[in-house]
Amino acid sequence: MKWDLDSLFKGGSQSEELAAFLQETDTLFQTWLDRPETDVIISELTHAVDMLFGRINEMFSFVSCLIAQDVNDNQALLLEEKLQVQRVKFESLRLRLAARLRELEDDAFATLLTEEALKPFAFSLSELRQHAKDEMDPAREHLAASLAKDGYHAWQSVYNEAVGRMEIPFEEDGETKILSAGQLSNRLDSPNTAVRERASLAYQKAWSKEAPLFAQTLNRLAGFRLSLYEARGWDDVLKEPHALNRMQEKTLQTMWETITKNKSRFYRYMDEKAKLLGVEKLSFRDVHAPLPVENKEQSDIPYDDACDLIIRHFRKFSPKMADFAEMALRDGWIEAENRAGKRPGGFCTTFLLSGESRIFMTYDGSMANVATLAHELGHAYHSWCLKNKPVQLAKEYPMSIAEMASTFAEIIVADALLAETEDEATKKMLVENHLSRSLSFFMNIHARFLFEMRFYEERKNGMVSQERLNEMMVAAQKEAYGDQLSEYDPYFWASKLHFHITMRPFYNFPYTFGYLFSLGVYAQALKSGASFEDQYIALLEDSGSMTMEDLAMKHLGVDLTTPQFWQEALDVVLADVDKFLAL
């Protein structure tokens, strides 16, 4: 249940291999940055940017793993600071390339892309050129990137360190245990109502205590972001998220509109779940709680059993995907141990140069954790399918399509489990687990999106108080959940890491996009049978070099800017609502 990081850089945060790699990278940066621009042709600069992008990724991925596994690893935090310096240097080199591309007339740029050495970079260079046209001049962009190290990204570091140091007392089994934020989060999903209620009280107390600091981190990073947007002449706070996710505004708007029109059809499921949990109305914490079982020990799934289960069901869909999962589990790519000192949540990070990934989570035996493990393995398989691409930049895909691959892996396991069980109670539990996760995408994520849209609008006029943040969070949750809950979570803006991530603004809607897109892909898989394995790999291979709309049209033959695709995907979930109510 513990990952192997030594195979990447031996020695953890004291790694001499990492130190040498960092020094080599710094020397390479200086060599390129010191060269007169007139001495460098665009193809040379492009290959340098691509090579250094891979090196930066390798180090950041490693250090993120070190910090996640031990939030008290101060040396890892110092390494992260050193890497931020390297990130600024990379941004300087990227801006130099962007400026050269922006200077070219359209005809000259089109001719440039016909060069043999640059053909694999066509999409990346076109995207970079367009971004350059939307940004400030290179000198001011360089200054902004330099200031961001200590004036923007630092706020996320403050948040991460503060959360990592949280120690939360919790009464359990007749004793007071000291839990990390991640461990307490698992208690919030307990099938035992009393445990959930105690965990919720501990959660509210812990996060309310830290809320003044986190109101500062959120306001300050948002203020920096808005100031940067203003300097670039951007009025729309979604301009950057749209670009990062390679998605049109109309696509996102159509998706949310279609979801909103269908939300009321989930209310009967929510009412039925409340009855099964023995409450009059679901609270915010009840929405994602598993259904109660008579024997908790029987409901727990040992980690090794979860691994075997996932591999078995992957194999029914894709032998290649199953072989990959088997390798990842065997070779120490996964950190799943349930212990204090780890950061909350889960993630998958890719090492572009090594062609490997690492998965982080805290496994506690729940069905939700099995889904998380399948989810993160889906991410890792996505990166694995891109590992032989000759261009490092083409291995970087947007979050929107990343969440498709991960959720697709979840669906494979969930549907296979449902198909093989004959017990009605188990069937109901599995269908409910799927619906619970669907509500996360349709309502919880929507609440985050609504909150951020309104928060940024208010932040334009100055700092937003902690009390106002609480009010806005509850208002967004009430709207997103159709005012169907008995109580809400005013401190969700503080406890949810995604609001405080600086590299990915609006770290919310891509989850919902990816989920619904995955349903479309899964429907195609069911129609195609065994032949879809290679079709799926082809889709993943294109994911780093196409817009979402073009990718969907090429591989699924659908138009994402119209409601039809989204409604058909929603109909799959609504069928599960009917199935749940009938069981």
Side-chain angles (χ1 to χ4, degrees):
M1 294 179 73
K2 296 187 72 173
W3 56 19
D4 173 20
L5 297 180
D6 278 355
S7 61
L8 298 161
F9 293 105
K10 190 174 182 179
S13 57
Q14 304 292 336
S15 172
E16 294 181 3
E17 292 178 7
L18 177 64
F21 191 83
L22 175 57
Q23 182 58 53
E24 290 171 8
T25 303
D26 188 62
T27 300
L28 286 166
F29 270 125
Q30 286 308 127
T31 299
W32 281 100
L33 290 171
D34 289 345
R35 285 182 65 177
E37 291 190 39
T38 53
D39 290 351
V40 182
I41 62 174
I42 289 179
S43 61
E44 284 184 311
L45 189 54
T46 298
H47 281 85
V49 167
D50 190 59
M51 175 267 295
L52 287 162
F53 175 75
R55 294 180 73 94
I56 284 282
N57 162 271
E58 201 82 355
M59 293 186 290
F60 263 108
S61 292
F62 183 74
V63 172
S64 70
C65 290
L66 295 178
I67 294 172
Q69 72 177 5
D70 181 5
V71 294
N72 297 310
D73 187 342
N74 292 324
Q75 184 60 33
L77 295 173
L78 291 175
L79 284 170
E80 184 181 41
E81 174 65 19
K82 291 181 180 179
L83 292 183
Q84 292 292 358
V85 175
Q86 298 300 309
R87 175 178 277 160
V88 172
K89 292 182 179 181
F90 174 78
E91 187 63 14
S92 297
L93 200 62
R94 185 195 71 84
L95 287 169
R96 184 174 294 186
L97 174 59
R100 296 283 295 276
L101 297 173
R102 183 166 62 175
E103 291 169 357
L104 296 175
E105 296 293 335
D106 290 349
D107 289 347
F109 179 68
T111 300
L112 179 75
L113 296 184
T114 63
E115 292 183 17
E116 203 61 38
L118 292 180
K119 283 182 179 179
F121 293 91
F123 180 84
S124 299
L125 292 179
S126 298
E127 187 175 55
L128 181 59
R129 183 169 180 256
Q130 183 56 52
H131 289 173
K133 291 180 178 181
D134 290 338
E135 294 174 348
M136 300 179 289
D137 63 79
R140 289 201 294 166
E141 284 290 344
H142 174 70
L143 176 61
S146 299
L147 294 173
K149 184 177 77 70
D150 292 316
Y152 181 38
H153 302 305
W155 289 111
Q156 181 184 337
S157 297
V158 170
Y159 176 85
N160 289 342
E161 185 169 351
V163 171
R165 293 180 185 278
M166 288 175 69
E167 295 183 337
I168 306 166
F170 185 70
E171 297 295 327
E172 189 173 61
D173 300 328
E175 61 177 308
T176 300
K177 297 181 179 179
I178 302 300
L179 304 182
S180 67
Q183 289 176 311
L184 180 65
S185 180
N186 279 337
R187 294 338 190 254
L188 291 168
D189 293 330
S190 170
N192 187 305
T193 302
V195 172
R196 282 200 311 279
E197 289 177 351
R198 291 203 314 277
S200 184
L201 288 173
Y203 166 95
Q204 294 292 333
K205 184 176 180 180
W207 290 102
S208 64
K209 180 181 177 182
E210 300 293 341
L213 171 61
F214 297 148
Q216 286 288 328
T217 60
L218 185 61
N219 270 282
R220 298 302 180 183
L221 69 86
F224 188 102
R225 186 175 282 159
L226 288 171
S227 295
L228 181 61
Y229 290 175
E230 183 180 11
R232 288 173 174 168
W234 298 358
D235 295 325
D236 184 4
V237 294
L238 289 176
K239 182 176 178 62
E240 185 179 24
H242 283 145
L244 288 173
N245 286 284
R246 296 171 183 161
M247 184 188 303
Q248 294 177 23
E249 178 183 359
K250 189 176 181 182
T251 294
L252 180 60
Q253 183 180 352
T254 303
M255 181 190 80
W256 281 133
E257 287 176 352
T258 310
I259 289 171
T260 300
K261 288 177 183 177
N262 286 271
K263 279 186 181 179
S264 62
R265 298 173 67 183
F266 290 92
Y267 296 164
R268 286 180 61 207
Y269 150 69
M270 295 167 72
D271 290 341
E272 177 65 16
K273 181 171 182 176
K275 291 178 185 177
L276 294 171
L277 291 177
V279 296
E280 185 175 338
K281 207 173 185 181
L282 293 178
S283 71
F284 188 80
R285 293 299 162 201
D286 293 330
V287 172
H288 306 298
L291 295 181
V293 291
E294 293 183 6
N295 187 336
K296 183 184 183 302
E297 291 184 2
Q298 290 180 0
S299 71
D300 283 347
I301 303 171
Y303 178 72
D304 288 343
D305 290 354
C307 296
D308 291 342
L309 180 153
I310 289 169
I311 291 169
R312 185 172 79 251
H313 292 311
F314 276 4
R315 194 168 301 283
K316 292 176 183 177
F317 161 74
S318 167
K320 293 176 183 177
M321 194 172 179
D323 289 344
F324 164 80
E326 206 164 37
M327 177 201 68
L329 290 160
R330 180 191 66 231
D331 292 350
W333 287 21
I334 300 166
E335 165 59 57
E337 190 175 37
N338 187 354
R339 66 174 189 276
K342 295 172 68 172
R343 59 152 274 191
F347 65 81
C348 174
T349 189
T350 299
F351 295 78
L352 296 181
L353 299 184
S354 304
E356 297 186 6
S357 295
R358 290 297 183 270
I359 290 169
F360 176 87
M361 64 178 297
T362 300
Y363 188 85
D364 71 351
S366 68
M367 181 57 71
N369 275 190
V370 177
T372 297
L373 181 56
H375 180 102
E376 301 302 344
L377 282 166
H379 278 309
Y381 184 63
H382 188 174
S383 297
W384 181 255
C385 290
L386 290 165
K387 68 183 177 67
N388 292 324
K389 288 276 186 180
V391 175
Q392 301 302 326
L393 292 168
K395 297 177 184 178
E396 186 185 37
Y397 42 83
M399 182 186 165
S400 46
I401 202 65
E403 294 309 320
M404 179 283 298
S406 56
T407 310
F408 181 68
E410 275 190 66
I411 294 171
I412 290 172
V413 174
D415 272 20
L417 282 171
L418 186 62
E420 72 178 16
T421 186
E422 296 181 359
D423 179 70
E424 292 296 302
T426 303
K427 279 186 178 181
K428 187 151 192 162
M429 180 191 73
L430 291 170
V431 174
E432 194 286 319
N433 185 263
H434 183 211
L435 288 172
S436 172
R437 294 179 79 81
S438 297
L439 252 61
S440 290
F441 298 118
F442 301 153
M443 298 184 183
N444 186 297
I445 297 294
H446 197 199
R448 301 185 208 180
F449 178 79
L450 293 171
F451 168 81
E452 286 209 86
M453 288 294 293
R454 293 160 188 173
F455 163 66
Y456 275 96
E457 195 59 37
E458 288 204 19
R459 183 63 181 86
K460 290 176 182 178
N461 300 318
M463 294 283 284
V464 182
S465 70
Q466 173 192 324
E467 293 74 20
R468 180 60 182 148
L469 290 170
N470 287 358
E471 291 173 3
M472 293 170 69
M473 190 75 257
V474 170
Q477 289 169 350
K478 283 185 175 181
E479 180 177 340
Y481 284 92
D483 204 11
Q484 295 295 303
L485 305 182
S486 61
E487 59 183 43
Y488 298 87
D489 181 1
Y491 291 104
F492 192 70
W493 60 268
S495 65
K496 183 52 65 174
L497 164 68
H498 298 66
F499 292 124
H500 303 262
I501 292 176
T502 51
M503 293 299 291
R504 296 286 175 184
F506 279 80
Y507 204 138
N508 44 59
F509 68 81
Y511 283 108
T512 304
F513 175 95
Y515 174 63
L516 289 172
F517 196 94
S518 71
L519 291 175
V521 172
Y522 189 62
Q524 191 92 335
L526 294 177
K527 292 177 186 175
S528 302
S531 67
F532 190 73
E533 180 178 44
D534 290 335
Q535 295 174 40
Y536 181 58
I537 291 172
L539 184 155
L540 296 181
E541 288 176 339
D542 278 343
S543 62
S545 53
M546 296 184 79
T547 66
M548 294 304 94
E549 291 78 18
D550 289 345
L551 191 72
M553 184 57 70
K554 177 180 178 180
H555 292 279
L556 299 179
V558 297
D559 181 357
L560 297 181
T561 65
T562 63
Q564 182 179 349
F565 171 79
W566 304 109
Q567 186 60 57
E568 289 177 355
L570 279 159
D571 286 342
V572 174
V573 186
L574 290 167
D576 280 343
V577 172
D578 294 337
K579 189 183 300 181
F580 175 77
L581 294 172
L583 285 169

